[in-house]
Amino acid sequence: MAQKKYLQAKLTQFLREDRIQLWKPPYTDENKDDSLALKDLAKKYSDKLECCENEVEKIMEEIRCKAIERGTGNENYKTTGIATIEVFLPPQRRKDKKALLKTQLHITGKELRSKIAETFGFQENYIKVFINKKQLQLGKSLEEQGVTHNVKAMVLELKQSEEDARRNFQVEEEEQNEAKLEEKTIQRTKRGLEILAERAEMVVDPETTPYLDIANQTGRSIKIPPSEKKALMLAMGYHEKGRAFLKRKKYELALPCLLDADKYFCECGTELLDTVDNYAVLQLDIVWCYFHLGQLECLDDAEKKLNLAQKCFKNCYGENHQRLVHIKGNCGKEKVLFLRLYLLQGIRSYHSGNGEEACEYLNKAHQLFKELYIDPSKVETLLQLGFTEQEARLGLRACDGNVDHAADHITHRKEELAQIRREEQEKRKRRLESINSLKRMGYSTYAAKHALHQAGGNLDQALKILLSNPQRWWLTDSDPESNHNQESASQENIDQLVYMGFDTGAARAALQVFRGHVQLAAQTLAYNGGSLPPDLQLAAEDSSSTPSTSPSDSAGTSSASTDEDMETEAVNEILDDIPEHEEDYLDSTLEDEEIIIAKYLSYVENTKLATKKN
């Protein structure tokens, strides 16, 4: 199949160079049939390619028929407005003939999905459709989503083939249940990532509240502009989830996560993306996923993505990796990424009909594979020293296979990361102490966190922010930890404030607003010259006219508890898929790469050795 695609690409290239239009005379007659001129052209190109004339003629006839079909579709679209969509089915569903679907463009994504399911024999709820590298949105029209005539649509099926499922009813039922679970998994992934991204900015207790953090290549947390932080968190979170599916070879689930990661990365500034290599790795993972799904021909921008990855690596690692070597002391581990880059570039070149370029890239990948191959006995030696298999592989690649140097490298890196973690924990501990200081003054966790963030962690400045704008923090405080059950303006508390020198009316109003917090009321009155700001005066009037709600009046406790459990489950699923080792993305056994390199090198070699057969 791959060799046939190579011939198709090569012949298409020749036709373009020679400006030959097979759908017109002399290659197509008035009845749209082929002519003798096509046979003569096939002979010319078979001589040029040194391959079987019959095979060339057969492929050229396919190209001619597709061109006529496309032209007919274009005329039909101009006349009727009915568009043609080229549908790329999962490999097990494909037939020799191209899958085309006729449709109006004003229909919804859901209606298109139903048409695809009915036409090609899918169960509607168990397929995902991707157009223009984005998942089809069911509630919007095709026009709203930029779908045009002759667009390509890729279909992913979230279960095995129908033929396999029919063999056993129980298997089919299990697969359907698995598809439902997979869909729920994707939804939980989205919710869990959103929760973790929201927590990241304002985490209070890192020991008890899981959150996501972003580190540079040394392992230290990096400052992210607030406008980009959530997008970057979501992008990296979706990427990790997609990589977890890739490890389990669940490519149909990995792709939606990876494409979502790509979407969120595009919301981040280019300056930020130049400091981390994640975006480049993501481009490789997306193309790798398309390759394993047998959908490389559907990825029109494979070359663009691979070139983008190469450019990002250059910006991030420096020319000839000098920036990477300066930061980490070596670039051995990162060579794994370049091996995959060259391999994918070789595959893309081969499928584009460029055999020489494919050979060059594949040989570069093969050379890197030989450099990165690890002697199992060396891994075993490091295992006996107490290191993990992953640590052993990464250490040996960083040290060019030297066991002693690898052991030192792993130990040093662990100590370095432990020191960084201690420093980060100390910073979070100081922030927590500042939050608790503000809470002891009567402020809520919500107010304390936000004020400290605004003040850059300075406690005195945060207090000044809270005192100068009490209405901003108190009236918008939705923190469940806020003590809303404090007593109201008791006479004892009023007397206490009056004793401090405040007016009785102002004391009563302040205590009503701050729900009995004497210290908070006193601080605010003192800062504002003995009276409340206008916004808080209105709040005091509202609170005096609104009856308090007793605990028995509240409802939905059970529901809230259920929602909290679901959120905890969603967060835990995300955390389970985030690897413990910070360089997990650089770790690979290279078993898949070895097989694919050998296969495509054999294709290239066969193409070179092909002789004309009559």
Side-chain angles (χ1 to χ4, degrees):
M1 179 60 75
Q3 289 161 308
K4 181 183 176 182
K5 288 183 186 299
Y6 173 80
L7 271 178
Q8 284 175 331
K10 203 71 181 171
L11 288 168
T12 302
Q13 182 182 327
F14 289 161
L15 291 168
R16 285 199 189 110
E17 289 172 356
D18 295 341
R19 297 185 178 180
I20 291 174
Q21 298 175 321
L22 292 180
W23 61 94
K24 292 182 178 180
Y27 309 104
T28 298
D29 62 24
E30 57 186 14
N31 297 319
K32 295 187 177 179
D33 293 327
D34 63 336
S35 66
L36 289 174
L38 186 72
K39 294 182 183 297
D40 293 338
L41 189 63
K43 184 178 187 312
K44 172 187 171 182
Y45 287 153
S46 66
D47 289 341
K48 196 172 182 179
L49 289 167
E50 296 188 333
C51 63
C52 177
E53 184 180 330
N54 289 337
E55 181 68 18
V56 170
E57 185 179 342
K58 183 179 176 183
I59 293 173
M60 286 183 63
E61 174 61 10
E62 287 179 14
I63 294 172
R64 188 188 73 84
C65 290
K66 286 177 183 177
I68 292 171
E69 199 173 55
R70 190 179 183 90
T72 304
N74 290 342
E75 291 172 11
N76 188 50
Y77 177 64
K78 289 176 186 175
T79 307
T80 65
I82 296 176
T84 300
I85 293 178
E86 186 176 354
V87 182
F88 287 82
L89 303 172
Q92 66 271 19
R93 295 274 193 160
R94 287 182 198 162
K95 298 177 181 177
D96 290 338
K97 192 175 179 182
K98 185 190 288 188
L100 300 175
L101 190 72
K102 308 284 187 184
T103 182
Q104 297 279 359
L105 296 179
H106 61 74
I107 66 170
T108 64
K110 189 176 190 311
E111 289 171 313
L112 177 63
R113 188 181 72 168
S114 298
K115 274 191 173 188
I116 290 173
E118 183 180 352
T119 304
F120 302 108
F122 294 104
Q123 295 187 51
E124 183 181 344
N125 292 331
Y126 303 141
I127 61 171
K128 289 186 178 296
V129 181
F130 292 85
I131 297 179
N132 297 328
K133 290 76 186 176
K134 296 177 184 176
Q135 187 170 332
L136 188 68
Q137 297 182 54
L138 302 183
K140 292 186 176 180
S141 73
L142 302 185
E143 290 170 323
E144 288 177 296
Q145 299 181 66
V147 178
T148 58
H149 173 57
N150 282 333
V151 77
K152 295 177 180 179
M154 187 185 73
V155 178
L156 294 185
E157 189 175 18
L158 296 180
K159 64 188 193 73
Q160 296 177 7
S161 67
E162 288 294 320
E163 184 181 349
D164 291 340
R166 287 194 197 100
R167 291 175 186 169
N168 190 306
F169 176 78
Q170 184 179 358
V171 172
E172 183 174 357
E173 189 174 31
E174 286 173 359
E175 287 175 354
Q176 291 178 6
N177 290 336
E178 183 181 348
K180 290 177 183 176
L181 286 172
E182 288 169 347
E183 182 62 31
K184 288 180 180 176
T185 297
I186 291 170
Q187 294 304 319
R188 281 200 304 274
T189 294
K190 185 175 181 180
R191 181 62 189 135
L193 286 170
E194 286 174 349
I195 293 168
L196 287 168
E198 287 163 4
R199 286 179 182 174
E201 193 66 45
M202 291 298 165
V203 65
V204 180
D205 185 359
E207 300 300 323
T208 59
T209 308
Y211 71 108
L212 294 178
D213 197 9
I214 298 174
N216 61 16
Q217 287 156 350
T218 66
R220 294 186 182 278
S221 296
I222 55 178
K223 295 285 185 183
I224 309 295
S227 59
E228 298 177 6
K229 187 158 189 175
K230 185 172 181 181
L232 186 59
M233 289 283 185
L234 289 169
M236 295 175 78
Y238 274 116
H239 191 186
E240 287 295 351
K241 190 68 178 178
R243 288 188 66 252
F245 285 132
L246 280 179
K247 285 181 183 178
R248 301 197 284 270
K249 300 190 184 299
K250 292 196 170 187
Y251 303 107
E252 70 284 353
L253 289 177
L255 186 59
C257 292
L258 296 175
L259 291 177
D260 277 338
D262 199 28
K263 177 182 73 175
Y264 284 112
F265 266 123
C266 289
E267 295 178 15
C268 302
T270 54
E271 184 179 345
L272 175 63
L273 296 181
D274 285 345
T275 64
V276 291
D277 56 8
N278 303 69
Y279 190 50
V281 176
L282 175 63
Q283 304 310 305
L284 295 185
D285 286 341
I286 290 174
V287 181
W288 187 250
C289 201
Y290 271 92
F291 170 72
H292 280 285
L293 287 166
Q295 299 284 9
L296 265 181
E297 64 269 55
C298 191
L299 188 62
D300 294 335
D301 64 342
E303 184 175 9
K304 178 183 171 184
K305 284 192 174 296
L306 294 174
N307 288 341
L308 181 58
Q310 195 162 21
K311 180 184 174 185
C312 288
F313 283 138
K314 182 179 177 181
N315 292 338
C316 186
Y317 296 160
E319 193 76 41
N320 299 320
H321 307 164
Q322 79 269 19
R323 181 180 170 198
L324 184 65
V325 173
H326 176 72
I327 293 171
K328 300 178 78 171
N330 66 82
C331 60
K333 291 171 281 191
E334 281 72 16
K335 286 181 180 179
V336 167
L337 302 176
F338 288 90
L339 185 154
R340 184 167 287 188
L341 173 64
Y342 297 146
L343 173 56
L344 289 171
Q345 286 175 322
I347 293 170
R348 181 204 58 77
S349 297
Y350 184 79
H351 283 281
S352 299
N354 194 331
E356 291 182 7
E357 188 177 78
C359 185
E360 183 182 341
Y361 280 127
L362 290 168
N363 280 325
K364 286 172 76 173
H366 187 234
Q367 182 59 39
L368 271 182
F369 172 78
K370 288 192 289 186
E371 285 182 34
L372 295 170
Y373 174 77
I374 295 172
D375 185 344
S377 65
K378 293 182 178 181
V379 174
E380 185 60 35
T381 300
L382 290 172
L383 290 177
Q384 290 173 2
L385 293 175
F387 301 119
T388 67
E389 192 172 331
Q390 183 178 65
E391 289 172 338
R393 277 194 297 269
L394 291 168
L396 286 165
R397 283 181 182 144
C399 300
D400 297 321
N402 186 300
V403 176
D404 292 335
H405 291 173
D408 291 340
H409 172 82
I410 299 167
T411 302
H412 176 72
R413 182 60 182 154
K414 286 173 112 174
E415 291 171 353
E416 193 175 50
L417 286 173
Q419 178 61 29
I420 290 171
R421 279 194 289 269
R422 283 193 293 270
E423 291 172 8
E424 294 291 331
Q425 285 172 355
E426 185 60 33
K427 280 167 59 179
R428 289 194 283 268
K429 182 181 176 183
R430 288 196 297 270
R431 174 62 67 92
L432 186 56
E433 288 172 353
S434 296
I435 289 171
N436 287 333
S437 295
L438 291 174
K439 286 173 71 175
R440 284 192 293 272
M441 295 179 193
Y443 293 104
S444 69
T445 305
Y446 170 89
K449 287 191 295 183
H450 283 75
L452 280 165
H453 175 67
Q454 194 173 329
N458 185 293
L459 180 59
D460 293 336
Q461 187 63 30
L463 181 58
K464 189 178 291 187
I465 289 168
L466 289 167
L467 289 171
S468 62
N469 251 319
Q471 65 277 15
R472 176 182 172 188
W473 306 108
W474 191 259
L475 298 181
T476 61
D477 190 352
S478 57
D479 187 353
E481 292 185 36
S482 296
N483 194 350
H484 294 301
N485 295 322
Q486 285 271 339
E487 61 183 88
S488 296
S490 68
Q491 190 59 48
E492 182 183 349
N493 289 343
I494 294 171
D495 291 343
Q496 194 173 346
L497 289 176
V498 170
Y499 180 76
M500 294 179 190
F502 298 114
D503 178 76
T504 303
R508 179 179 287 106
L511 287 166
Q512 285 175 340
V513 168
F514 295 116
R515 300 180 181 91
H517 281 289
V518 175
Q519 188 176 4
L520 198 52
Q523 287 172 346
T524 304
L525 288 172
Y527 191 83
N528 290 278
S531 62
L532 288 175
D535 288 346
L536 291 186
Q537 288 178 16
L538 291 172
E541 293 171 10
D542 290 342
S543 64
S544 63
S545 60
T546 305
S548 61
T549 304
S550 67
S552 61
D553 292 331
S554 62
T557 306
S558 176
S559 174
S561 177
T562 303
D563 289 343
E564 188 176 333
D565 290 342
M566 289 175 67
E567 289 193 350
T568 301
E569 181 185 352
V571 167
N572 288 339
E573 268 192 26
I574 299 296
L575 295 175
D576 287 343
D577 280 329
I578 294 178
E580 290 185 15
H581 200 289
E582 77 284 355
E583 292 182 326
D584 178 82
Y585 71 105
L586 299 175
D587 178 41
S588 173
T589 61
L590 299 181
E591 291 173 358
D592 285 351
E593 286 85 346
E594 180 183 16
I595 294 169
I596 297 166
I597 289 170
K599 182 165 69 173
Y600 273 86
L601 278 175
S602 72
Y603 292 160
V604 171
E605 192 61 30
N606 289 340
T607 302
K608 284 181 178 179
L609 298 174
T611 55
K612 185 176 179 182
K613 297 178 182 178
N614 294 314

